[in-house]
Amino acid sequence: MSFIYVAFIALLIGGLMGLLQVLVRSGHFTLPAGIDYYQVLTVHGVILALVLTTFFIIGFQFALMGKTVGISDRQRRLGWLSFWTMTIGTAITATTILLGKASVLYTFYAPLQAHPAFYIGLTLVIVGSWIAAFVNFHQLAVWKKKHPGEKSPLLAFMVCINMAMWLICSIGVAVSVLFHIIPWSLGWIPSINVLLSRTLFWYFGHPLVYFWLLPAYMAWYAIIPKIIGGKIFSDALARLSFVLFLFFSIPVGLHHQLTEPGLDSTWKFIQVVLTLMVVIPSLMTAFSMFATFEITGRKKGYGGLFGWLKHLPWKDVRFVAPFVGMLAFIPGGAGGIINASHQMNSLVHNTIWVTGHFHLTVATTVVLTFFGVAYWLIPHLTGRTLTKSINNLGLVQTYLWAIGMTIMSAAMHIQGLLGGPRRSNFSDYGGTEQAAEWGWYQLAQAIGGSILFIAIILMVYIVAKLAFFAPKGEEEFPIAEEEENAEPTPMWLENWKLWIAITIALILFAYTVPIMDVIQNAPPGSPPFDWPIGNS
């Protein structure tokens, strides 16, 4: 619950910053008290994309592991160490940004330089998450020692896959920050290899997206079936999809650098191919989910081609919020294929199209699924119940979120196709005709963002009700069983050494030569630039 409390505090703060952004970008609002737009943008990105997601995921995963394989007192103490390390790091980072010493956005691209405390705080967040990862690995290892020859619980397997991916990918950003960026920010070295720092960031940055997404998939595969009165379609398919995500989520970061000079196009092409491989486990997940929905509906006697849709619990927010997230992933996933395709990427790269895509995938698919989890997890952990009135309020919140995000994200996509840049403050660009075309879309973003902020206020209110004011009682922790006639799960899916070895081999294949090239043929190092740009 401590992790989840921090996550929803982050939602409120980050959501307010997002509201200020869309109002400023509309051209009809100016930030008060000399607050800088890029300061607000950095808070929004760091607090929501890094703090909200990581804290909720680790809290949720501790709950899943405790429920499926158990947690010892020693593991619990290490869990608290993880929490406080991450919280202290978050406080240091947030303070640095709010003091105007780190307006470098959540990607903290060099040569923009933040105060060293910003990077040190982020490092503590990463270290704290590593502690949580090792606790989860130890929990599963203890369980397997007590249950030799048995397949591990599905949710515990999924948690450990996700944390293995996180541990491997975050090594890239840790190396970059500890040995590259912090010494540079302290003035120990005069310049920085910008291309190397960006390459190491995106080695981490793309699997970060799957670190957000896989906990949502955990809920879809193993929890939603229980909520709708069904069973897991296939335990083996679920495990295989997670193994494939482990393989193909990390060695693909160069598709974020398709327009980056200094990287050989051959390696960009290879990583684009590996990126498109991620479509396979995503489609496996979509197939599994709709198979679960249909099988459950037909067992309940609903016939016809789409009669099974009627059985779905359309008045249960625990289902509706994640289901809306699933629907958002259809256009979100299609946009991801465009982003990863070299020719089409050249049209949308660094436009606000990318921001719209990001808000569909993470801020809708992932966040709405997390909200759906919160409706049962918070009362379960606090000894309270999800009442009918809170459930109905949650439905209103979900629909408000969907409406606001549809308006805002659609406007971002269209403005991006018209050339509207991302990461930028409002400007009429000297009265150019092209910039004039963006006005209505920027206004639509402000309208959609305002609706979203109302939904955020409502969600924070609901969380407070569920945590402190809902009636005392027992709320179900819904974990589904597998279909009786499903194919048995082969034990080779539990071969952790093989999966980790294949993952490392793919990473070495995809990154060894590009990084050696970047180091050996390094561009001229850049001195630091402080914000505002030009103060070096």
Side-chain angles (χ1 to χ4, degrees):
M1 275 306 302
S2 297
F3 280 102
I4 292 170
Y5 288 144
V6 173
F8 281 100
I9 292 169
L11 175 68
L12 181 61
I13 297 170
L16 175 60
M17 298 301 107
L19 175 65
L20 294 176
Q21 278 176 250
V22 291
L23 292 177
V24 169
R25 284 181 65 93
S26 73
H28 299 287
F29 178 80
T30 304
L31 288 169
I35 300 172
D36 182 72
Y37 174 82
Y38 295 96
Q39 184 180 4
V40 168
L41 180 54
T42 302
V43 174
H44 177 71
V46 170
I47 292 295
L48 291 186
L50 297 178
V51 176
L52 162 66
T53 52
T54 306
F55 273 81
F56 188 92
I57 288 166
I58 290 179
F60 177 40
Q61 291 184 160
F62 270 133
L64 295 177
M65 295 296 286
K67 196 71 177 177
T68 56
V69 298
I71 183 167
S72 67
D73 289 339
R74 181 170 177 269
Q75 291 164 347
R76 195 183 303 273
R77 287 193 296 272
L78 288 172
W80 278 112
L81 177 61
S82 164
F83 171 78
W84 285 113
T85 304
M86 291 176 64
T87 303
I88 292 168
T90 299
I92 293 170
T93 299
T95 301
T96 312
I97 301 169
L98 293 172
L99 290 174
K101 301 293 185 182
S103 297
V104 292
L105 313 192
Y106 99 98
T107 49
F108 50 90
Y109 271 179
L112 283 180
Q113 187 185 84
H115 190 280
F118 172 83
Y119 305 113
I120 293 168
L122 285 181
T123 301
L124 288 175
V125 174
I126 296 293
V127 170
S129 70
W130 287 353
I131 296 170
F134 284 114
V135 172
N136 294 152
F137 299 154
H138 188 251
Q139 286 175 277
L140 182 59
V142 170
W143 185 92
K144 289 179 76 70
K145 191 173 182 180
K146 292 178 180 177
H147 301 82
E150 296 182 30
K151 71 176 181 182
S152 57
L154 175 60
L155 284 167
F157 176 89
M158 290 174 159
V159 168
C160 289
I161 286 281
N162 196 35
M163 294 310 274
M165 180 186 71
W166 172 255
L167 186 64
I168 294 168
C169 79
S170 57
I171 289 171
V173 75
V175 168
S176 176
V177 170
L178 288 174
F179 300 107
H180 204 196
I181 294 178
I182 289 179
W184 172 67
S185 68
L186 289 169
W188 295 348
I189 55 177
S191 62
I192 191 168
N193 183 331
V194 171
L195 184 54
L196 179 60
S197 69
R198 291 186 182 184
T199 303
L200 288 173
F201 177 84
W202 285 117
Y203 167 88
F204 155 81
H206 191 79
L208 172 65
V209 174
Y210 288 96
F211 175 68
W212 299 329
L213 186 61
L214 291 190
Y217 278 17
M218 295 174 202
W220 295 3
Y221 270 115
I223 289 166
I224 294 297
K226 179 71 170 181
I227 290 172
I228 68 171
K231 295 186 177 182
I232 298 168
F233 172 70
S234 170
D235 179 282
L237 183 147
R239 290 176 197 258
L240 181 59
S241 71
F242 268 61
V243 169
L244 292 177
F245 278 121
L246 177 65
F247 290 169
F248 299 116
S249 62
I250 303 175
V252 298
L254 292 191
H255 82 238
H256 288 266
Q257 298 174 271
L258 290 177
T259 62
E260 190 98 63
L263 292 169
D264 189 274
S265 58
T266 300
W267 292 101
K268 292 178 182 178
F269 171 76
I270 288 170
Q271 294 209 18
V272 164
V273 173
L274 292 174
T275 301
L276 296 178
M277 294 295 290
V278 179
V279 174
I280 296 171
S282 293
L283 291 176
M284 289 167 62
T285 302
F287 170 79
S288 179
M289 291 314 305
F290 283 91
T292 299
F293 297 157
E294 182 170 358
I295 290 169
T296 306
R298 296 200 183 283
K299 281 184 177 180
K300 293 182 177 181
Y302 292 91
L305 187 60
F306 294 108
W308 50 271
L309 279 169
K310 297 177 183 178
H311 89 93
L312 296 173
W314 298 111
K315 294 184 179 180
D316 188 341
V317 71
R318 300 175 303 164
F319 164 76
V320 172
F323 186 80
V324 173
M326 292 179 198
L327 294 181
F329 202 56
I330 297 171
I337 294 173
I338 290 169
N339 297 342
S341 302
H342 198 177
Q343 294 88 342
M344 289 187 285
N345 179 274
S346 63
L347 177 66
V348 299
H349 192 89
N350 271 345
T351 73
I352 201 168
W353 160 287
V354 178
T355 313
H357 163 75
F358 193 77
H359 280 81
L360 272 184
T361 51
V362 178
T364 308
T365 298
V366 171
V367 169
L368 278 182
T369 301
F370 289 177
F371 289 171
V373 168
Y375 286 114
W376 58 262
L377 181 60
I378 291 175
H380 175 84
L381 294 175
T382 57
R384 298 183 184 274
T385 57
L386 174 62
T387 64
K388 186 176 180 180
S389 62
I390 298 176
N391 179 84
N392 292 338
L393 199 59
L395 291 173
V396 172
Q397 193 277 338
T398 300
Y399 296 135
L400 279 175
W401 193 278
I403 293 167
M405 192 62 77
T406 299
I407 295 170
M408 188 180 79
S409 177
M412 287 176 170
H413 278 85
I414 297 170
Q415 186 190 344
L417 291 175
L418 295 173
R422 64 184 297 209
R423 303 187 181 102
S424 62
N425 199 346
F426 173 78
S427 173
D428 63 4
Y429 293 90
T432 62
E433 183 179 346
Q434 183 180 15
E437 295 179 339
W438 306 336
W440 286 107
Y441 301 109
Q442 291 169 326
L443 185 60
Q445 290 163 39
I447 294 169
S450 300
I451 295 171
L452 277 169
F453 187 67
I454 294 170
I456 286 172
I457 295 293
L458 194 53
M459 189 66 211
V460 172
Y461 170 78
I462 290 169
V463 168
K465 287 277 287 185
L466 289 173
F468 305 110
F469 303 109
K472 291 283 188 179
E474 292 186 10
E475 189 66 35
E476 176 190 28
F477 195 116
I479 298 178
E481 299 176 353
E482 188 180 16
E483 289 282 356
E484 294 88 350
N485 59 350
E487 289 290 327
T489 302
M491 287 307 295
W492 54 259
L493 280 170
E494 297 273 355
N495 192 340
W496 285 90
K497 292 179 181 178
L498 176 61
W499 306 143
I500 299 296
I502 293 174
T503 302
I504 292 172
L506 284 169
I507 292 168
L508 292 174
F509 167 69
Y511 269 106
T512 302
V513 173
I515 288 181
M516 286 175 62
D517 283 346
V518 169
I519 294 171
Q520 290 174 356
N521 304 303
S526 174
F529 284 76
D530 297 326
W531 193 256
I533 292 177
N535 295 337
S536 62

